[in-house]
Short mmCIF file of all heavy atoms in Angstrom, two decimals:
data_model
loop_
_atom_site.label_atom_id
_atom_site.label_comp_id
_atom_site.label_asym_id
_atom_site.label_seq_id
_atom_site.Cartn_x
_atom_site.Cartn_y
_atom_site.Cartn_z
N ARG L 1 63.13 132.11 176.71
CA ARG L 1 63.56 130.71 176.65
C ARG L 1 65.07 130.64 176.85
O ARG L 1 65.82 130.47 175.90
CB ARG L 1 63.17 130.09 175.30
CG ARG L 1 61.68 130.17 174.99
CD ARG L 1 61.28 129.31 173.81
NE ARG L 1 62.06 129.54 172.61
CZ ARG L 1 61.81 130.51 171.74
NH1 ARG L 1 60.82 131.36 171.94
NH2 ARG L 1 62.56 130.65 170.68
N PRO L 2 65.52 130.77 178.08
CA PRO L 2 66.97 130.71 178.33
C PRO L 2 67.50 129.30 178.11
O PRO L 2 66.75 128.33 178.15
CB PRO L 2 67.10 131.11 179.80
CG PRO L 2 65.78 130.79 180.41
CD PRO L 2 64.75 130.96 179.32
N SER L 3 68.80 129.19 177.86
CA SER L 3 69.44 127.89 177.66
C SER L 3 70.46 127.63 178.76
O SER L 3 71.05 128.56 179.30
CB SER L 3 70.16 127.86 176.31
OG SER L 3 69.24 128.08 175.27
N PHE L 4 70.67 126.35 179.05
CA PHE L 4 71.60 125.94 180.10
C PHE L 4 72.40 124.76 179.59
O PHE L 4 72.03 124.12 178.62
CB PHE L 4 70.84 125.53 181.36
CG PHE L 4 69.90 126.57 181.86
CD1 PHE L 4 68.55 126.53 181.52
CD2 PHE L 4 70.35 127.62 182.64
CE1 PHE L 4 67.68 127.51 181.96
CE2 PHE L 4 69.48 128.60 183.08
CZ PHE L 4 68.15 128.55 182.74
N GLY L 5 73.49 124.45 180.27
CA GLY L 5 74.19 123.21 179.98
C GLY L 5 73.35 122.04 180.48
O GLY L 5 72.65 122.15 181.48
N HIS L 6 73.41 120.91 179.78
CA HIS L 6 72.69 119.72 180.24
C HIS L 6 73.34 119.22 181.53
O HIS L 6 74.55 119.07 181.61
CB HIS L 6 72.74 118.61 179.19
CG HIS L 6 71.88 118.89 178.01
ND1 HIS L 6 70.50 118.81 178.03
CD2 HIS L 6 72.19 119.26 176.74
CE1 HIS L 6 70.01 119.09 176.84
NE2 HIS L 6 71.01 119.38 176.04
N THR L 7 72.50 118.98 182.55
CA THR L 7 73.03 118.53 183.84
C THR L 7 72.59 117.11 184.17
O THR L 7 72.98 116.57 185.19
CB THR L 7 72.54 119.46 184.96
OG1 THR L 7 71.12 119.55 184.87
CG2 THR L 7 73.15 120.84 184.84
N LEU L 8 71.75 116.52 183.32
CA LEU L 8 71.20 115.19 183.62
C LEU L 8 71.43 114.28 182.42
O LEU L 8 71.47 114.73 181.28
CB LEU L 8 69.70 115.30 183.90
CG LEU L 8 69.33 116.14 185.12
CD1 LEU L 8 67.86 116.47 185.12
CD2 LEU L 8 69.71 115.42 186.39
N PRO L 9 71.61 112.98 182.67
CA PRO L 9 71.88 112.07 181.56
C PRO L 9 70.71 111.89 180.60
O PRO L 9 70.91 111.74 179.40
CB PRO L 9 72.22 110.74 182.25
CG PRO L 9 71.68 110.86 183.64
CD PRO L 9 71.68 112.31 183.99
N GLY L 10 69.48 111.92 181.14
CA GLY L 10 68.32 111.76 180.26
C GLY L 10 68.03 113.05 179.50
O GLY L 10 68.16 114.14 180.02
N LYS L 11 67.64 112.90 178.22
CA LYS L 11 67.33 114.09 177.41
C LYS L 11 66.04 113.83 176.61
O LYS L 11 65.88 112.79 175.99
CB LYS L 11 68.47 114.40 176.44
CG LYS L 11 69.74 114.82 177.15
CD LYS L 11 70.82 115.21 176.15
CE LYS L 11 72.08 115.71 176.84
NZ LYS L 11 72.72 114.69 177.68
N MET L 12 65.15 114.83 176.66
CA MET L 12 63.88 114.74 175.94
C MET L 12 63.82 115.78 174.84
O MET L 12 64.38 116.86 174.98
CB MET L 12 62.71 115.01 176.89
CG MET L 12 62.48 113.97 177.96
SD MET L 12 61.84 112.42 177.33
CE MET L 12 60.17 112.86 176.86
N VAL L 13 63.13 115.45 173.76
CA VAL L 13 62.85 116.42 172.70
C VAL L 13 61.33 116.50 172.54
O VAL L 13 60.66 115.46 172.52
CB VAL L 13 63.47 115.97 171.36
CG1 VAL L 13 63.02 116.90 170.24
CG2 VAL L 13 64.98 115.97 171.45
N TYR L 14 60.80 117.72 172.48
CA TYR L 14 59.37 117.90 172.28
C TYR L 14 59.11 118.71 171.02
O TYR L 14 59.85 119.64 170.71
CB TYR L 14 58.74 118.64 173.47
CG TYR L 14 58.65 117.79 174.71
CD1 TYR L 14 59.59 117.91 175.72
CD2 TYR L 14 57.62 116.88 174.87
CE1 TYR L 14 59.52 117.13 176.86
CE2 TYR L 14 57.53 116.08 176.00
CZ TYR L 14 58.49 116.22 177.00
OH TYR L 14 58.41 115.44 178.11
N LEU L 15 58.04 118.35 170.32
CA LEU L 15 57.62 119.10 169.13
C LEU L 15 56.11 119.16 169.16
O LEU L 15 55.43 118.15 168.96
CB LEU L 15 58.12 118.40 167.87
CG LEU L 15 58.12 119.22 166.58
CD1 LEU L 15 58.88 120.53 166.77
CD2 LEU L 15 58.77 118.41 165.46
N CYS L 16 55.55 120.34 169.46
CA CYS L 16 54.11 120.51 169.56
C CYS L 16 53.61 121.16 168.27
O CYS L 16 54.02 122.27 167.94
CB CYS L 16 53.75 121.40 170.75
SG CYS L 16 54.43 120.83 172.31
N GLY L 17 52.73 120.47 167.54
CA GLY L 17 52.20 121.05 166.31
C GLY L 17 51.18 122.14 166.57
O GLY L 17 50.95 123.00 165.74
N SER L 18 50.56 122.10 167.75
CA SER L 18 49.56 123.10 168.11
C SER L 18 49.59 123.27 169.62
O SER L 18 50.36 122.61 170.31
CB SER L 18 48.17 122.62 167.66
OG SER L 18 47.87 121.40 168.30
N LEU L 19 48.76 124.16 170.14
CA LEU L 19 48.75 124.46 171.57
C LEU L 19 48.08 123.31 172.33
O LEU L 19 46.91 123.36 172.66
CB LEU L 19 48.02 125.78 171.81
CG LEU L 19 48.28 126.47 173.15
CD1 LEU L 19 49.77 126.68 173.41
CD2 LEU L 19 47.56 127.80 173.20
N GLN L 20 48.83 122.26 172.59
CA GLN L 20 48.32 121.09 173.28
C GLN L 20 48.08 121.40 174.75
O GLN L 20 48.67 122.33 175.29
CB GLN L 20 49.32 119.94 173.17
CG GLN L 20 49.62 119.50 171.74
CD GLN L 20 48.46 118.73 171.11
OE1 GLN L 20 47.50 118.40 171.79
NE2 GLN L 20 48.56 118.47 169.82
N PRO L 21 47.22 120.59 175.44
CA PRO L 21 46.98 120.83 176.86
C PRO L 21 48.21 120.57 177.73
O PRO L 21 48.34 121.14 178.81
CB PRO L 21 45.84 119.88 177.22
CG PRO L 21 45.68 118.95 176.06
CD PRO L 21 46.31 119.57 174.87
N SER L 22 49.13 119.71 177.29
CA SER L 22 50.37 119.51 178.04
C SER L 22 51.45 118.98 177.11
O SER L 22 51.16 118.48 176.02
CB SER L 22 50.17 118.54 179.21
OG SER L 22 50.25 117.21 178.75
N LEU L 23 52.70 119.07 177.55
CA LEU L 23 53.81 118.58 176.74
C LEU L 23 53.67 117.10 176.44
O LEU L 23 54.12 116.62 175.40
CB LEU L 23 55.15 118.81 177.47
CG LEU L 23 55.75 120.21 177.40
CD1 LEU L 23 57.06 120.24 178.18
CD2 LEU L 23 55.99 120.64 175.96
N ALA L 24 53.04 116.36 177.36
CA ALA L 24 52.90 114.92 177.17
C ALA L 24 52.10 114.60 175.91
O ALA L 24 52.25 113.52 175.33
CB ALA L 24 52.23 114.30 178.40
N GLN L 25 51.25 115.53 175.47
CA GLN L 25 50.43 115.29 174.28
C GLN L 25 51.13 115.71 172.99
O GLN L 25 50.61 115.50 171.91
CB GLN L 25 49.09 115.99 174.39
CG GLN L 25 48.04 115.11 175.03
CD GLN L 25 47.53 115.65 176.33
OE1 GLN L 25 48.30 116.18 177.13
NE2 GLN L 25 46.25 115.53 176.58
N CYS L 26 52.31 116.32 173.12
CA CYS L 26 53.08 116.69 171.93
C CYS L 26 53.91 115.50 171.46
O CYS L 26 54.07 114.51 172.18
CB CYS L 26 54.03 117.84 172.26
SG CYS L 26 53.18 119.33 172.83
N ARG L 27 54.43 115.59 170.24
CA ARG L 27 55.36 114.55 169.79
C ARG L 27 56.64 114.66 170.61
O ARG L 27 57.11 115.76 170.88
CB ARG L 27 55.66 114.73 168.30
CG ARG L 27 54.54 114.24 167.41
CD ARG L 27 54.76 114.58 165.95
NE ARG L 27 56.13 114.36 165.50
CZ ARG L 27 56.72 115.06 164.54
NH1 ARG L 27 56.07 116.06 163.97
NH2 ARG L 27 57.94 114.78 164.17
N TRP L 28 57.19 113.51 171.00
CA TRP L 28 58.38 113.56 171.83
C TRP L 28 59.32 112.42 171.47
O TRP L 28 58.93 111.43 170.85
CB TRP L 28 58.01 113.47 173.32
CG TRP L 28 57.16 112.30 173.70
CD1 TRP L 28 55.80 112.30 173.81
CD2 TRP L 28 57.58 110.96 173.96
NE1 TRP L 28 55.36 111.04 174.14
CE2 TRP L 28 56.43 110.20 174.25
CE3 TRP L 28 58.83 110.33 174.00
CZ2 TRP L 28 56.48 108.85 174.56
CZ3 TRP L 28 58.89 108.98 174.31
CH2 TRP L 28 57.73 108.25 174.58
N ALA L 29 60.57 112.59 171.82
CA ALA L 29 61.57 111.53 171.66
C ALA L 29 62.43 111.54 172.91
O ALA L 29 62.70 112.60 173.49
CB ALA L 29 62.42 111.78 170.43
N PHE L 30 62.85 110.35 173.34
CA PHE L 30 63.64 110.21 174.57
C PHE L 30 65.01 109.63 174.24
O PHE L 30 65.12 108.59 173.59
CB PHE L 30 62.89 109.31 175.55
CG PHE L 30 63.63 109.06 176.84
CD1 PHE L 30 63.92 110.12 177.70
CD2 PHE L 30 64.02 107.78 177.20
CE1 PHE L 30 64.59 109.90 178.91
CE2 PHE L 30 64.68 107.55 178.41
CZ PHE L 30 64.96 108.61 179.25
N ASN L 31 66.05 110.34 174.66
CA ASN L 31 67.43 109.86 174.51
C ASN L 31 67.79 109.45 173.08
O ASN L 31 68.49 108.48 172.86
CB ASN L 31 67.70 108.70 175.48
CG ASN L 31 68.20 109.21 176.82
OD1 ASN L 31 68.31 110.42 177.03
ND2 ASN L 31 68.50 108.31 177.74
N LYS L 32 67.30 110.21 172.10
CA LYS L 32 67.76 110.03 170.73
C LYS L 32 68.88 111.06 170.52
O LYS L 32 68.65 112.26 170.65
CB LYS L 32 66.62 110.30 169.74
CG LYS L 32 65.46 109.33 169.85
CD LYS L 32 65.68 108.14 168.93
CE LYS L 32 64.44 107.32 168.75
NZ LYS L 32 63.89 106.75 170.00
N SER L 33 70.07 110.58 170.18
CA SER L 33 71.21 111.51 170.19
C SER L 33 71.13 112.55 169.07
O SER L 33 71.54 113.68 169.24
CB SER L 33 72.52 110.73 170.09
OG SER L 33 72.53 109.97 168.90
N ALA L 34 70.56 112.17 167.90
CA ALA L 34 70.62 113.09 166.75
C ALA L 34 69.98 114.46 167.02
O ALA L 34 70.64 115.47 166.83
CB ALA L 34 70.00 112.43 165.53
N PRO L 35 68.70 114.51 167.49
CA PRO L 35 68.11 115.86 167.68
C PRO L 35 68.79 116.65 168.80
O PRO L 35 68.68 117.87 168.84
CB PRO L 35 66.65 115.57 168.02
CG PRO L 35 66.50 114.12 168.17
CD PRO L 35 67.76 113.44 167.78
N CYS L 36 69.48 115.95 169.69
CA CYS L 36 70.11 116.65 170.81
C CYS L 36 71.58 116.96 170.56
O CYS L 36 72.25 117.53 171.41
CB CYS L 36 70.02 115.80 172.09
SG CYS L 36 68.42 115.91 172.86
N TYR L 37 72.07 116.58 169.41
CA TYR L 37 73.49 116.77 169.12
C TYR L 37 73.87 118.25 169.24
O TYR L 37 73.28 119.09 168.57
CB TYR L 37 73.81 116.23 167.73
CG TYR L 37 75.26 116.33 167.34
CD1 TYR L 37 76.22 115.59 168.02
CD2 TYR L 37 75.67 117.18 166.33
CE1 TYR L 37 77.56 115.67 167.68
CE2 TYR L 37 77.01 117.28 165.98
CZ TYR L 37 77.95 116.52 166.66
OH TYR L 37 79.28 116.61 166.33
#
């Protein structure tokens, strides 16, 4: 899981409680500054 500098204005946060079929089915937040601080 390498890390990079953010290159795009939009930022997503994902939290999967289990092995979901796709990231879209995990809990997510869009452009919330706190988790991305």
